[in-house]
Amino acid sequence: NAGVTQTPKFQVLKTGQSMTLQCAQDMNHEYMSWYRQDPGMGLRLIHYSVGAGITDQGEVPNGYNVSRSTTEDFPLRLLSAAPSQTSVYFCASSPVTGTPTLGQYFGPGTRLTVT
Amino acid sequence: AQSVTQPDIHITVSEGASLELRCNYSYGATPYLFWYVQSPGQGLQLLLKYFSGDTLVQGIKGFEAEFKRSQSSFNLRKPSVHWSDAAEYFCAVGDSNQFYFGTGTSLTVIP
């Protein structure tokens, strides 16, 4: 199993550009999520999904869109990038929803810089 | 609202010494609690978790944590630190489908 994979590893965008961060997992996990990690802020939940076709907002959803058309994939879209979105983005998945007893499996991260 | 506090931003210990990383949480019900470790440039790896039962939980890499409801704490411990334990450590609390992370504690291990 590859686990949770993220592409790209690094990305530089100009203000106003759009892009999609890709996330895929091959563990048939129901739950998937996106976090951003900023210095001194820890990880903050952006969006999450409890299954194909179901998404919901986390703590910091503004400026980001998600969709979940398959169990495996959970892309994160930045429609108009802003410097405040410079961060490291992590995708994570978990086998179950509603009872987070198993913790999450994290991808390696995408480092995004918006100039 | 749920929140997690890790009061120590950075800790330095000597190799072979014991370690305790502090974590306090604010949560309205029985919490699901986790500790993760992040090596430089890597994603997070689950060290251990607590959701019920024995308040002392064992994890990977020789780590353990104790849940103390009266103190709203879930401190991480290791009896003897190895140089390879140098990393960032995050405490987290889970709420149904949302997880809240602390700001992390950076651990430096000196020979």
Side-chain angles (χ1 to χ4, degrees), chain A residues 8-92:
Chain A
K9 290 192 187 312
F10 302 95
Q11 182 70 50
V12 179
L13 290 178
K14 295 188 187 308
T15 298
Q17 287 185 318
S18 63
M19 81 159 295
T20 299
L21 307 185
Q22 301 291 345
C23 174
Q25 52 90 10
D26 60 359
M27 298 173 283
N28 201 33
H29 286 175
E30 293 180 15
Y31 180 92
M32 297 186 74
S33 57
W34 276 102
Y35 294 86
R36 59 177 291 172
Q37 183 179 28
D38 302 293
M41 302 287 289
L43 280 79
R44 292 180 292 169
L45 182 65
I46 304 172
H47 286 284
Y48 66 94
S49 168
V50 299
I54 307 170
T55 64
D56 206 345
Q57 296 181 351
E59 189 180 355
V60 288
N62 292 342
Y64 307 96
N65 282 350
V66 292
S67 60
R68 184 104 177 262
S69 56
T70 67
T71 299
E72 294 78 18
D73 301 299
F74 190 44
L76 179 72
R77 297 184 186 84
L78 285 71
L79 298 181
S80 180
S84 61
Q85 294 179 304
T86 293
S87 187
V88 181
Y89 291 84
F90 288 99
C91 179

Side-chain angles (χ1 to χ4, degrees), chain B residues 24-99:
Chain B
N24 294 96
Y25 65 90
S26 173
Y27 193 75
T30 301
Y32 299 104
L33 294 159
F34 307 85
W35 275 99
Y36 288 86
V37 60
Q38 183 182 32
S39 298
Q42 304 295 316
L44 278 71
Q45 181 184 20
L46 180 67
L47 281 176
L48 49 77
K49 57 187 182 288
Y50 170 82
F51 52 94
S52 68
D54 193 346
T55 57
L56 183 65
V57 293
Q58 303 296 320
I60 62 171
K61 305 186 181 191
F63 285 92
E64 66 178 26
E66 185 171 13
F67 170 60
K68 293 185 177 180
R69 187 187 298 277
S70 61
Q71 298 178 19
S72 297
S73 70
F74 189 56
N75 294 348
L76 182 71
R77 301 194 293 248
K78 187 169 185 178
S80 178
V81 170
H82 188 263
W83 64 266
S84 60
D85 293 325
E88 188 97 17
Y89 292 81
F90 292 93
C91 181
V93 60
D95 168 17
S96 183
N97 292 312
Q98 299 212 28
F99 295 81

